[in-house]
Amino acid sequence: MIGLALIGGIAFWWQHNEAEMPLEQGHRQLLDGRDVLVALNQLGYEVRGLGLALALADATAGADGLEPAARGITQSLLLIDQALPLLKRNFPEIVPGIGDIQASLMAYRELVAGLSPGHVVTDAQKDRLKKARLSLAGWEPLLAGFHQSAEQALQGFVEDHQQQENRVWSGFLLALAGVVAGFLLVLFMWQRRLNKNQLYPFYEQLFQGSYAIELLLDPQDGSILDANPAAVAFYGWDLPALRTMNIQDVNCLSKDEIASEMALARQEQRNHFHFRHRLANGEIRDVEVWSTPFTVEGRSILSSIIHDVTQHRVAERDLERSRQRYRDVVEASVQGFWFVAPRSGLVLDVNQALCELLGYPREDILGKSFISFVHSEDQSAVRERFSLADKTKHRVYDVRVRTAAGDIRHTRFHATSLWSEDHELTGSYAFVDDITERKKAREALQDSQQHLAIVIEAGQIGVWEYYPASNEMWFSPEWKAQLGYLDHEFPNTRQAWDGAVLPEDGALALQSLTSLADRGNQDKTIELSLRYRHRDGHLVYARCCARAVYDAQGAVERFIAAHLDLTSQFENQEMLARINAQTALILDSASNGVLGVDDSGRVTLVNGVGQQMLGMMAQDVIGRPVDQVLRLTDRMGRALVMRGNEEDPSCPVSFVLRTGEALSAVEALLWDAQTTQLRAVELGVAPLRWQGQISGAVVSLYDVSGLLQQRQDLERSNNDLEQFAYVASHDLQEPLRTITSYLTLLRRRYSPLLDEDGQTFIATAVDGSYRMSTMIRDLLEYSRVGRKGVEMVPLDLTHITREAVDNLRIAIEDVGADVAIQPDMPLVMADRGQLVSLLQNLLGNAIKYRDPARPVQVWVRAITDGLQGCRVEVEDSGIGIEDSYFERIFQPFQRLHTREKYEGNGIGLAICRKIARLHGGDLTVSSEPGKGSIFTFTLALASVPSPQMPPPAKESEL
């Protein structure tokens, strides 16, 4: 038995020595391989994040986005420094490629370090950044290849290590079987002689010789029973100290959490744990623990093998940070971003900027085809471009997308295809710019440029530029044309400009430009009035708007000015000034008062006579409403209030401003503010028009006070004459009747005694006496018109006309006349008897002077004509009148035909005109021989209000 045990022990010792070095070497290779894979994964994330950071900097065209890129470069270089020793020891074939990446990263670090925040990136730096970003895109498949090679090598390490372990453990088991068998027999035979200390050498050899960190714990209270040298080296406490410590002194979990985890291990419910252990120097390390319970002489012991996975955890956290950095870069981008699957185009990832652009939440976009968000008119083109993803690396194209709200947004896709190491398309990602406002701005700019070109060409606006540093000038062809030159005839030099501009204007212009060059005037423009000498010698007046253009350092680069030829305007202004002066002289020399009124009824001008008539100075009149300076009443005492509204038809100014029809000879009384007396005037109002619209009116005031006095004297004289005519005609009737009676008696008594001549003489005398009697009666009737006054009452014009027709019913029926009366004629103010007489005379004349060749037709109508009241027309189809007799027919006893053809004395129309004038109007005729006549007279409307005269304005109101 002892020999068997000795043989087993010798075999165990030999197997341990033979297996120790290969196992340790394989274990180191496995750890190195794992660390290399972690480093390569981390480097891949860093490179991807670096690419996104450079893409962000390229998109924003500024150095502010390069801070993530600088961090990514530093982290990548640190990873390479840590991984190179492992790569050289285990993966030498990867070292050259990693070295190239390291050199490129160091060059990129120098590039990024030279770009501080706020720095303006130059075009050369932009190009280098773009090349760096493109080269990074090529690193991803390279790193993927390195990772695959490391994985394959690591797999080989694992297989070799497993085979070595199998061989070692087979030997171990065989040797251990011999040892155990021998020792069991020896122990059985010598159990009373051997004590337990005799087992320690074997236990110590297995426990102390392990390179793994091992602790033996009491599973009940967690006290540390023993620790191997690897544990002492790892934790930093010496062995005696560790044997006095509890696992709670090492494990960072709470006492209850530790007890719970130890219970799981003791009950063999779990044997693999992840903890954080505290070292003697206070450092916290991440560890992976494999725990196995066993029993020695009835005592439970928990064996824990501890692996330090701190670097692995750091790599995992760095990897997570890299992933988060990638997500942060994507989410921080102001551009939209989405990643889509190959062929199907399903959206796999988006950032918040794209969600905000489309107006959808992330979950409503993921899993859908990105083409479904494209405008229907662009979908076919986008499908065609997407189909080329496996043939092109990068694509840039404009796409219209439809938002959740139904709006159309213009976007620009910067699409990139992603490939696997097997050259298979794995997807495409695109940064999306919202160019809607940019497109609108570009379109607006194009429109503005087109409009500017049209304005410059149509408006003949010249442009010139002046470069103060070189003293050079440039002139546009339009500018040269304004001076009479073709483009090639006028050189673009300062000397040519000095020769064209008037010296005093040129000096002033340069002085003004110098003041504009001050840095504080960067946003200001100045206006210059310049005079040039035209090619043919006359002066060209121009207005220039000049502005300074500054370079990046704030220095004036050039001045640019727009040049507008105002020669015609200056000439027109001079002509207008002369015309205004002449007009002022004409107005002041006029014998009547003149007021100008704008479309709102405010006075804009008044001449000297107008100021005298109003009793006010020009400054007291201009700008005020006309009704405050012009107080009028008509001859009947009604106020003509001038407020320019439609409700008051008695207002001449408002009537003209409203209708555009001129008024003349409106009789009124004007209140003189200085003398506080009423002045008789005749008012004329004419409209002013501008571009077809009424822009105001001109009011003319004629002082008719003297004429009114003359008219009153004339009326008094006429009244006297009428009185005399009435008396004469009345008194002549008696002697004429005596003469007529005796002549009739003489002819009846002595006619047989007279010869033919005597009888003819008597007959002629009798006939003359009869005609004289008729004329005296007509004269008496004429003088009686208006003698008793005019009783003005509201009358229905339609009813009065029918009454006149009824009086002529027999004559109308005898000739078969057709009299048409307008229905619903207005109410008028008139004397009933005189109006019936007027209409009856006109209707009787229409029947008397009928045309035998045509039916007798008469039309009576009334036309309401604003302030003119009611205009009555009596039209007939008679023989007509030549225009040379239009006035003669209204004179008493004037006949155009013999008595044999038409009876009468020619007094009827004279009486009609007198009646019309007594009613405030007149009687006129328009006619053409053979086409009938139209007799027209005017009457006042009964509906016209009669407001009271406004009180005189107080002096403070004038």
Side-chain angles (χ1 to χ4, degrees):
M1 291 298 176
I2 297 175
L4 182 60
L6 290 175
I7 293 171
I10 293 170
F12 182 85
W13 174 82
W14 176 82
Q15 183 67 26
H16 177 270
N17 289 337
E18 288 293 325
E20 180 177 2
M21 292 305 297
L23 286 175
E24 178 63 27
Q25 182 179 0
H27 183 67
R28 186 181 298 111
Q29 283 182 330
L30 290 177
L31 292 177
D32 289 347
R34 183 194 62 187
D35 293 340
V36 167
L37 288 179
V38 172
L40 288 176
N41 278 333
Q42 180 67 17
L43 183 59
Y45 281 114
E46 291 295 341
V47 167
R48 191 174 298 112
L50 177 58
L52 292 174
L54 292 178
L56 177 60
D58 187 19
T60 57
D64 294 339
L66 291 176
E67 185 177 353
R71 293 197 302 266
I73 292 174
T74 301
Q75 187 66 24
S76 299
L77 289 174
L78 180 60
L79 288 171
I80 291 175
D81 290 340
Q82 295 173 351
L84 275 177
L86 303 177
L87 292 171
K88 292 177 181 179
R89 186 165 59 242
N90 299 283
F91 309 100
E93 69 277 6
I94 301 178
V95 172
I98 295 296
D100 293 339
I101 293 177
Q102 185 182 32
S104 298
L105 286 173
M106 295 177 70
Y108 299 159
R109 181 170 60 183
E110 294 179 1
L111 171 62
V112 173
L115 301 176
S116 59
H119 180 79
V120 178
V121 181
T122 65
D123 292 338
Q125 291 169 333
K126 288 181 181 178
D127 186 59
R128 292 185 63 189
L129 288 173
K130 184 176 182 180
K131 291 180 178 179
R133 182 164 57 85
L134 294 178
S135 66
L136 286 174
W139 291 0
E140 295 183 22
L142 180 63
L143 289 173
F146 292 166
H147 191 276
Q148 184 178 11
S149 299
E151 281 184 337
Q152 293 174 352
L154 183 60
Q155 184 64 30
F157 295 161
V158 171
E159 293 175 357
D160 293 342
H161 188 66
Q162 287 178 347
Q163 293 176 1
Q164 184 66 24
E165 282 184 338
N166 291 336
R167 289 195 298 270
V168 171
W169 283 109
S170 296
F172 274 148
L173 290 175
L174 180 60
L176 185 60
V179 171
V180 171
F183 273 102
L184 285 176
L185 291 174
V186 172
L187 184 63
F188 178 76
M189 295 174 61
W190 299 96
Q191 59 180 342
R192 294 184 181 271
R193 298 180 181 181
L194 297 177
N195 56 40
K196 55 185 176 183
N197 291 332
Q198 291 174 311
L199 298 177
Y200 288 164
F202 303 100
Y203 161 74
E204 288 293 333
Q205 189 175 5
L206 293 174
F207 182 67
Q208 300 295 335
S210 175
Y211 285 93
I213 304 169
E214 295 187 29
L215 294 176
L216 296 179
L217 306 176
D218 186 339
Q220 300 300 325
D221 58 6
S223 60
I224 300 175
L225 302 177
D226 203 355
N228 70 346
V232 172
F234 174 69
Y235 286 107
W237 285 286
D238 56 18
L239 184 58
L242 283 173
R243 288 174 175 171
T244 63
M245 296 172 61
N246 192 289
I247 193 63
Q248 299 174 9
D249 300 327
V250 176
N251 200 316
C252 293
L253 294 178
S254 66
K255 181 178 180 181
D256 293 340
E257 290 173 332
I258 294 174
S260 176
E261 296 294 323
M262 290 184 63
L264 294 175
R266 184 175 62 250
Q267 299 167 9
E268 299 187 41
Q269 295 181 4
R270 184 148 60 94
N271 62 355
H272 183 218
F273 302 90
H274 294 277
F275 296 128
R276 304 193 73 198
H277 281 188
R278 183 180 301 104
L279 306 185
N281 60 4
E283 184 181 356
I284 304 299
R285 308 289 287 181
D286 292 291
V287 296
E288 190 177 61
V289 179
W290 294 86
S291 295
T292 303
F294 65 92
T295 304
V296 176
E297 296 182 353
R299 182 178 182 181
S300 296
I301 298 175
L302 190 62
S303 175
S304 297
I305 300 175
I306 298 145
H307 298 283
D308 183 4
V309 294
T310 302
Q311 294 299 326
H312 180 68
R313 290 288 182 268
V314 170
E316 288 181 346
R317 286 193 289 270
D318 290 342
L319 179 60
E320 181 60 28
R321 282 196 296 269
S322 179
R323 291 175 178 171
Q324 186 59 42
R325 189 180 302 115
Y326 154 77
R327 172 53 57 186
D328 290 342
V329 170
V330 170
E331 290 297 339
S333 175
V334 296
Q335 296 174 291
F337 173 86
W338 52 16
F339 182 76
V340 300
R343 291 174 291 279
S344 66
L346 297 179
V347 180
L348 303 179
D349 191 16
V350 294
N351 67 349
Q352 185 61 30
L354 187 70
C355 295
E356 293 176 356
L357 171 62
L358 297 178
Y360 290 99
R362 189 185 304 268
E363 56 271 16
D364 289 350
I365 301 177
L366 297 179
K368 295 183 179 179
S369 173
F370 80 100
I371 296 180
S372 63
F373 299 97
V374 175
H375 190 280
S376 58
E377 296 179 1
D378 294 348
Q379 288 184 358
S380 60
V382 173
R383 286 192 183 94
E384 181 179 355
R385 290 180 178 271
F386 184 65
S387 66
L388 301 176
D390 58 347
K391 301 179 180 63
T392 57
K393 181 67 174 177
H394 303 287
R395 301 168 301 281
V396 178
Y397 49 95
D398 292 346
V399 181
R400 289 176 295 173
V401 298
R402 186 178 297 278
T403 67
D407 299 330
I408 303 300
R409 305 296 294 179
H410 294 268
T411 64
R412 177 163 296 161
F413 281 21
H414 301 267
T416 301
S417 300
L418 297 181
W419 304 83
S420 68
E421 61 274 8
D422 298 330
H423 304 289
E424 291 186 2
L425 183 66
T426 60
S428 298
Y429 70 86
F431 283 96
V432 182
D433 291 326
D434 185 356
I435 61 172
T436 304
E437 299 304 325
R438 194 186 316 167
K439 188 175 182 66
K440 291 180 180 179
R442 186 183 301 112
E443 293 175 352
L445 178 60
Q446 291 175 352
D447 292 342
S448 177
Q449 290 174 342
Q450 292 178 356
H451 292 163
L452 178 60
I454 294 173
V455 168
I456 289 177
E457 181 178 357
Q460 298 182 346
I461 299 176
V463 178
W464 57 265
E465 295 182 358
Y466 173 52
Y467 298 81
S470 61
N471 206 28
E472 295 178 350
M473 297 192 77
W474 174 86
F475 310 97
S476 69
E478 292 79 10
W479 186 92
K480 298 175 182 180
Q482 291 176 0
L483 300 186
Y485 296 94
L486 297 177
D487 189 18
H488 67 277
E489 293 177 341
F490 194 93
N492 294 319
T493 63
R494 167 72 183 278
Q495 183 179 1
W497 185 79
D498 290 338
V501 69
L502 267 62
E504 58 271 24
D505 291 357
L508 180 60
L510 292 178
Q511 181 180 355
S512 300
L513 292 178
T514 302
S515 64
L516 185 61
D518 182 12
R519 186 176 179 86
N521 294 328
Q522 284 195 9
D523 296 329
K524 295 182 179 179
T525 60
I526 59 173
E527 289 191 5
L528 304 172
S529 295
L530 301 178
R531 293 169 296 172
Y532 295 90
R533 186 68 63 183
H534 194 271
R535 185 175 189 174
D536 61 11
H538 74 268
L539 287 179
V540 175
Y541 296 87
R543 185 180 65 190
C544 298
C545 291
R547 187 182 184 92
V549 179
Y550 298 83
D551 59 17
Q553 288 71 36
V556 175
E557 178 182 339
R558 69 184 187 276
F559 296 98
I560 185 169
H563 178 283
L564 183 62
D565 186 356
L566 300 180
T567 304
S568 59
Q569 286 88 331
F570 272 91
E571 293 175 351
N572 291 337
Q573 287 178 359
E574 293 178 357
M575 182 181 298
L576 182 61
R578 289 195 299 269
I579 292 174
N580 288 338
Q582 293 174 358
T583 302
L585 290 175
I586 292 173
L587 289 176
D588 287 337
S589 61
S591 60
N592 59 299
V594 178
L595 281 79
V597 181
D598 62 16
D599 56 355
S600 65
R602 293 185 175 274
V603 179
T604 57
L605 64 89
V606 60
N607 69 345
V609 176
Q611 297 176 48
Q612 295 176 2
M613 295 178 66
L614 295 173
M616 304 168 67
M617 301 299 293
Q619 60 268 25
D620 298 327
V621 175
I622 295 176
R624 297 179 62 183
V626 69
D627 61 346
Q628 293 184 7
V629 298
L630 197 62
R631 300 296 185 97
L632 298 171
T633 59
D634 61 13
R635 296 296 304 278
M636 301 181 68
R638 297 177 300 179
L640 303 180
V641 182
M642 302 196 180
R643 292 187 175 88
N645 52 41
E646 298 186 15
E647 289 75 12
D648 189 354
S650 66
C651 171
V653 176
S654 64
F655 173 81
V656 173
L657 292 176
R658 186 176 69 253
T659 65
E661 298 182 13
L663 297 178
S664 61
V666 178
E667 295 183 356
L669 297 176
L670 174 65
W671 180 70
D672 189 330
Q674 185 173 6
T675 63
T676 66
Q677 300 293 324
L678 291 176
R679 184 194 304 269
V681 296
E682 277 191 355
L683 188 70
V685 185
L688 296 176
R689 287 182 171 85
W690 172 253
Q691 296 182 347
Q693 301 293 327
I694 298 176
S695 60
V698 175
V699 182
S700 299
L701 299 173
Y702 298 90
D703 188 349
V704 294
S705 301
L707 294 177
L708 183 61
Q709 183 63 40
Q710 294 177 6
R711 183 183 300 173
Q712 292 175 351
D713 294 341
L714 181 59
E715 289 178 355
R716 188 181 303 108
S717 175
N718 288 336
N719 290 333
D720 292 342
L721 289 176
E722 289 179 0
Q723 179 66 25
F724 172 75
Y726 175 77
V727 173
S729 59
H730 182 273
D731 293 345
L732 286 176
Q733 286 291 338
E734 184 60 29
L736 185 58
R737 280 197 296 269
T738 302
I739 294 172
T740 302
S741 298
Y742 278 99
L743 286 175
T744 302
L745 181 61
L746 181 63
R747 184 176 57 180
R748 185 169 52 248
R749 183 175 294 181
Y750 297 103
S751 177
L753 302 177
L754 298 176
D755 56 11
E756 183 178 354
D757 290 338
Q759 291 181 0
T760 300
F761 294 155
I762 292 175
T764 301
V766 172
D767 183 62
S769 64
Y770 281 126
R771 281 189 284 117
M772 176 64 72
S773 177
T774 304
M775 291 178 65
I776 290 174
R777 284 198 303 272
D778 291 340
L779 180 61
L780 182 60
E781 183 180 356
Y782 180 79
S783 63
R784 285 174 176 173
V785 174
R787 178 175 176 79
K788 296 181 179 180
V790 180
E791 185 179 355
M792 306 292 284
V793 295
L795 298 175
D796 185 339
L797 186 57
T798 302
H799 179 74
I800 294 299
T801 304
R802 287 173 180 167
E803 183 177 341
V805 170
D806 290 339
N807 292 341
L808 298 172
R809 180 64 59 190
I810 295 176
I812 291 172
E813 293 175 353
D814 288 345
V815 300
D818 181 15
V819 181
I821 303 173
Q822 174 185 326
D824 300 327
M825 287 191 288
L827 295 176
V828 296
M829 299 295 296
D831 183 289
R832 181 184 183 85
Q834 291 186 9
L835 183 56
V836 171
S837 177
L838 172 60
L839 290 170
Q840 187 172 323
N841 268 294
L842 295 177
L843 292 172
N845 283 346
I847 295 172
K848 179 190 296 186
Y849 298 102
R850 62 186 177 274
D851 186 344
R854 291 186 296 171
V856 181
Q857 291 181 308
V858 184
W859 299 271
V860 181
R861 52 182 172 267
I863 302 172
T864 302
D865 193 15
L867 293 176
Q868 297 292 340
C870 177
R871 188 172 72 249
V872 184
E873 294 181 352
V874 179
E875 181 179 1
D876 60 56
S877 60
I879 59 177
I881 307 170
E882 294 183 5
D883 56 2
S884 59
Y885 299 120
F886 282 176
E887 286 299 321
R888 179 180 174 183
I889 60 175
F890 294 111
Q891 297 177 7
F893 305 114
Q894 295 296 319
R895 295 176 53 86
L896 303 182
H897 308 280
T898 62
R899 287 186 176 83
E900 288 75 11
K901 190 172 183 180
Y902 296 104
E903 63 180 9
N905 294 321
I907 196 67
L909 289 178
I911 293 175
C912 290
R913 169 169 277 189
K914 186 174 183 180
I915 293 174
R917 289 181 172 176
L918 286 174
H919 283 73
D922 200 357
L923 178 65
T924 59
V925 65
S926 60
S927 179
E928 187 175 347
K931 294 185 178 181
S933 304
I934 301 176
F935 288 87
T936 304
F937 61 93
T938 58
L939 297 172
L941 291 171
S943 59
V944 175
S946 301
Q948 297 298 320
M949 173 64 184
K954 298 179 180 180
E955 186 175 356
S956 59
E957 297 176 347
L958 298 177

